Amino acid sequence: MKKFEYKIQPIPTKGWMKYKQDLDALNVVLNDLGKQGWEVTVALPNLYSAGNHTTNIIILKREMTH
């Protein structure tokens, strides 16, 4: 049976209050993680908790080799 490990990666932001996604930086991050075998499973948009802004995140997975 295949086994996987998971990683939570924040999406890079820019600008005042860090609300804009930095897509150039995101491309770099995703390409680097892809070279390490990580695959995006889901991207979650801005989350709010009790009125506080939290970051966008991507959840990645890769098959464990041992």
Side-chain angles (χ1 to χ4, degrees):
M1 174 171 41
K2 291 184 179 181
K3 294 183 180 182
F4 297 94
E5 61 180 326
Y6 295 88
K7 177 179 184 69
I8 297 173
Q9 176 69 42
I11 296 174
T13 57
K14 63 181 177 180
W16 189 73
M17 302 276 301
K18 302 288 185 185
Y19 285 117
K20 295 176 101 177
Q21 294 178 3
D22 187 342
L23 299 181
D24 292 331
L26 179 58
N27 280 329
V28 171
V29 168
L30 290 178
N31 283 320
D32 288 344
L33 290 169
K35 289 174 186 173
Q36 298 171 36
W38 292 101
E39 178 182 355
V40 174
T41 59
V42 67
L44 300 174
N46 287 336
L47 303 173
Y48 294 90
S49 175
N52 295 320
H53 170 78
T54 58
T55 191
N56 301 318
I57 61 170
I58 295 174
I59 300 174
L60 304 105
K61 74 173 185 178
R62 70 177 172 187
E63 189 172 350
M64 296 176 71
T65 56
H66 33 62

